[in-house]
Amino acid sequence: MSEPRLEIDGRTAAAQARRDLILALPDTAPRQLWLVDPDFADWPLDETAVLEALARWVRLPARRATWIAADFEKVERSHPRLAAWRRDYAHAVEAYRPGEGEPVDWPSWLMTDRAAVVIDDPARWRGRSVAEPAALRDMREAVDALLQRCEPAWPGRVLGL
């Protein structure tokens, strides 16, 4: 059986697909969320409704979000409200960046154990939605392999003297 696909074509469609998946989190209640992108620049992560949905989801029992980006300073600059949200929910968010010398040519994925939004061609904003269990399992293995080449980043609280 072929993988179910909803084609995404364009920046607006990509943002809407990501928004829809995040807004559905409190109702679908997946335990894990993975966000993978070099910088999350064009994601709708500073929108009030998106942040509220993330907050409702993370308050459910045993929820974890894993973020992988090349430059979390850029994420903080482009999404200041997300950065504040991150500080409030640091207990449920793990953030990673590629290790020194690792290439940053990985995909742009928003993924749960039941659904994913994949932008295969970021230059043209083309992608797809994925819901097939085998494809999601393969994506999870790819994220695990990427995490092995990453190091912790973007602390929830910066400690100083």
Side-chain angles (χ1 to χ4, degrees):
M1 181 180 286
S2 66
E3 174 181 321
R5 291 178 178 226
L6 169 66
E7 295 302 320
I8 297 167
D9 190 5
R11 177 178 282 175
T12 302
Q16 189 60 49
R18 289 170 173 153
R19 183 181 298 110
D20 290 345
L21 184 57
I22 293 171
L23 293 178
L25 289 174
D27 296 325
T28 58
R31 290 200 180 273
Q32 182 74 36
L33 175 66
W34 296 272
L35 300 97
V36 180
D37 193 90
D39 59 19
F40 299 101
D42 293 302
W43 289 49
L45 297 172
D46 237 29
E47 295 178 5
T48 301
V50 167
L51 293 170
E52 288 173 355
L54 283 169
R56 285 193 320 273
W57 171 76
V58 84
R59 285 192 297 259
L60 295 171
R63 297 308 185 257
R64 298 292 302 161
T66 302
W67 297 65
I68 305 173
D71 185 355
F72 281 105
E73 288 180 11
K74 187 172 182 180
V75 173
E76 284 195 52
R77 284 191 306 275
S78 61
H79 302 298
R81 294 176 65 215
L82 173 69
W85 178 91
R86 161 74 170 113
R87 285 187 296 276
D88 292 342
Y89 295 100
H91 65 281
V93 179
E94 296 176 338
Y96 298 91
R97 67 173 175 235
E100 191 69 35
E102 283 294 322
V104 184
D105 59 351
W106 16 275
S108 179
W109 290 351
L110 171 62
M111 183 174 60
T112 72
D113 55 348
R114 297 181 194 127
V117 173
V118 177
I119 304 303
D120 298 304
D121 182 355
R124 292 185 183 91
W125 296 97
R126 292 192 177 157
R128 57 199 159 86
S129 292
V130 178
E132 206 249 347
L136 292 167
R137 192 172 35 256
D138 291 346
M139 291 174 67
R140 176 67 176 118
E141 289 174 8
V143 169
D144 285 343
L146 177 59
L147 282 169
Q148 291 176 21
R149 300 186 319 267
C150 289
E151 56 192 30
W154 201 22
R157 304 247 187 259
V158 178
L159 300 176
L161 298 176

